[in-house]
Amino acid sequence: MPSCSIHVLPYSADPAVYFSALSRAPGAVLLDAGRPAAERGRYDLISAWPLAELAPAPDESANDFLQRLREGLAQLGAAEAPVDCPLPFVGGLIGYLGYDFGRRLEKLPGQARDDLGLSDALFGLYGWALISDHQRKSSQLVFHPSLAAAERERLLSLFGALPEQPEEPFKLLGAFQTDINEATYRQAIERIQGYIQAGDCYQVNFAQRFRTRYQGAPWTAYQALRAACPTPFSGYLALADDGAIISLSPERFLHVSQGHVETRPIKGTRPRGSTPEEDRAQAEALLSSLKDRAENLMIVDLLRNDLGRNCKIGSVRVPELFALESYPNVHHLVSAVTGELASGKDTLDLIAGSFPGGSITGAPKIRAMQIIDELEPTRRALYCGSLLYLDVRGEMDSSIAIRSLLAKDGQISCWGGGGIVADSDWQAEYQESITKVKVLLDTLERFCD
């Protein structure tokens, strides 16, 4: 099998050193491990100028679109990493699946308005990547064997003599405003609890949207957000007309390596304390909370079922249950579910059987998604979808696009939500939905006039 070629660059722990040179390029994408502050992620992945772009047609089914993604990978061609050079990506697809891609997988009502007009999915087919390995402290350009020699030379020249990039201006034209008021939020929670009491569902993830107008470069906003809230599944994807997807996600969706599958759902949140003692007390309260543990367990069971559709019988395991992960603004309760891909199944089959992630829908999944469509006034667009890469070997890593913003058509939107169960207190849930994104909103509001 042909091997990728590697060109070593000076190591940078900060991806902005390299990405700033191409932040406005077509298809510019950064998948960011959040180092050095976030410790879980190992790699940063940068690329731009895709060889092709793939988005679903208006009436195209999920399976037909996923098949087109397979064909794109086949068109690029097989490749492997050089010996003794572990690489997460050797060329392939990078992009996003919006939450509403789930409408192409399941039959759902169409009450929620699509007022943002974001494509349900968008992937670039990339023949190169700049990969920083924070474990080995190395940065290198990775070229797929099919990438044209002239393009290799152009990229070597670009990254070999990086000019200093001045920070581009960015400003908000006002503070963030929510789309729904407290009374409407309370009515929605009470409606969900009515469905739960009727035996319709066990848990529903309900979210509210915050938005305002902006001017300038979203990349500047991303850098400020990353400094305030570094997370291991962050990402930035340039959209047409100078828009962008901005994600500071702490949550992995699906990771696939050599047929081994892992998902890490988050369920259970507490704010960080203002003193070490208060912070420790918040963490201990989360770890001992029967409500949060029950909520987490519901989603673990849902994900065991999702993975079981495409994993070998008997391979699905739960190696980690109710672990504590802490971020600058919140503590989270996190579990892990693993499995082995079944013979005849690939990574895109796994996506089709598992998307959207159960931690941001509820249980049972389809009924929860129907209730979300009824009670959230607008479609989620990117929120609770996934940023991901999938290379020609079938290697994949993906996030759940929470703590994420969409900058598009002069408007920037951000969502906060949480899982609602039978004994949820609406006021506590309302506050939690704000707590989760407060650091993002506060950071950007410093750019107000």
Side-chain angles (χ1 to χ4, degrees), residues 179-206:
D179 281 357
I180 58 176
N181 58 31
E182 283 191 55
T184 304
Y185 187 95
R186 177 179 184 174
Q187 289 166 5
I189 302 307
E190 290 172 348
R191 188 71 177 267
I192 290 168
Q193 290 175 321
Y195 284 130
I196 293 171
Q197 288 158 10
D200 239 11
C201 55
Y202 307 106
Q203 179 184 157
V204 175
N205 184 285
F206 182 73

Side-chain angles (χ1 to χ4, degrees), residues 184-237:
T184 304
Y185 187 95
R186 177 179 184 174
Q187 289 166 5
I189 302 307
E190 290 172 348
R191 188 71 177 267
I192 290 168
Q193 290 175 321
Y195 284 130
I196 293 171
Q197 288 158 10
D200 239 11
C201 55
Y202 307 106
Q203 179 184 157
V204 175
N205 184 285
F206 182 73
Q208 60 173 323
R209 183 175 70 177
F210 307 85
R211 55 185 174 144
T212 188
R213 306 293 298 177
Y214 79 95
Q215 290 177 348
W219 171 238
T220 299
Y222 177 83
Q223 292 179 86
L225 291 166
R226 185 191 192 273
C229 189
T231 56
F233 296 99
S234 299
Y236 182 92
L237 176 61

Side-chain angles (χ1 to χ4, degrees), residues 248-437:
L248 288 303
S249 174
E251 183 169 0
R252 168 173 278 160
F253 177 35
L254 295 167
H255 179 251
V256 180
S257 184
Q258 298 180 333
H260 179 75
V261 180
E262 181 191 48
T263 183
R264 294 186 61 83
I266 290 175
K267 267 295 162 222
T269 304
R270 290 289 189 282
R272 298 297 301 263
S274 55
T275 65
E277 295 76 16
E278 185 183 323
D279 193 54
R280 194 161 46 248
Q282 290 280 35
E284 289 170 357
L286 177 58
L287 285 167
S288 62
S289 166
L290 295 179
K291 172 187 175 293
D292 288 298
R293 290 163 77 94
E295 199 176 320
N296 192 290
L297 190 60
M298 283 183 210
I299 300 307
V300 166
D301 284 342
L302 188 157
L303 290 171
R304 288 174 62 228
N305 180 66
D306 280 357
L307 264 58
R309 295 175 184 176
N310 291 286
C311 287
K312 294 175 185 175
I313 294 172
S315 73
V316 178
R317 298 278 187 269
V318 184
E320 202 172 356
L321 194 62
F322 311 144
L324 182 75
E325 287 186 6
S326 300
Y327 295 93
N329 57 326
V330 291
H331 297 293
H332 281 312
L333 204 60
V334 185
S335 296
V337 185
T338 62
E340 301 291 331
L341 271 180
S343 176
K345 299 292 186 179
D346 67 11
T347 305
L348 290 167
D349 291 320
L350 183 71
I351 287 175
S354 306
F355 188 85
S359 67
I360 45 72
T361 57
K365 182 188 283 189
I366 296 173
R367 182 59 185 131
M369 291 174 72
Q370 291 169 346
I371 295 169
I372 289 167
D373 188 80
E374 174 194 333
L375 297 177
E376 292 184 13
T378 55
R379 294 194 179 184
R380 290 179 167 186
L382 167 79
Y383 175 65
C384 293
S386 181
L387 280 176
L388 63 97
Y389 69 77
L390 169 60
D391 81 356
V392 295
R393 301 170 298 176
E395 302 283 292
M396 180 181 79
D397 208 354
S398 58
S399 70
I400 297 280
I402 54 174
R403 319 289 194 275
S404 298
L405 305 98
L406 175 63
K408 186 175 183 291
D409 301 327
Q411 177 177 269
I412 189 162
S413 303
C414 181
W415 293 257
I420 309 304
V421 292
D423 58 350
S424 290
D425 174 78
W426 78 266
Q427 289 170 306
E429 297 291 348
Y430 182 80
Q431 188 55 51
E432 181 179 309
S433 73
I434 296 170
T435 296
K436 286 175 176 174
V437 297

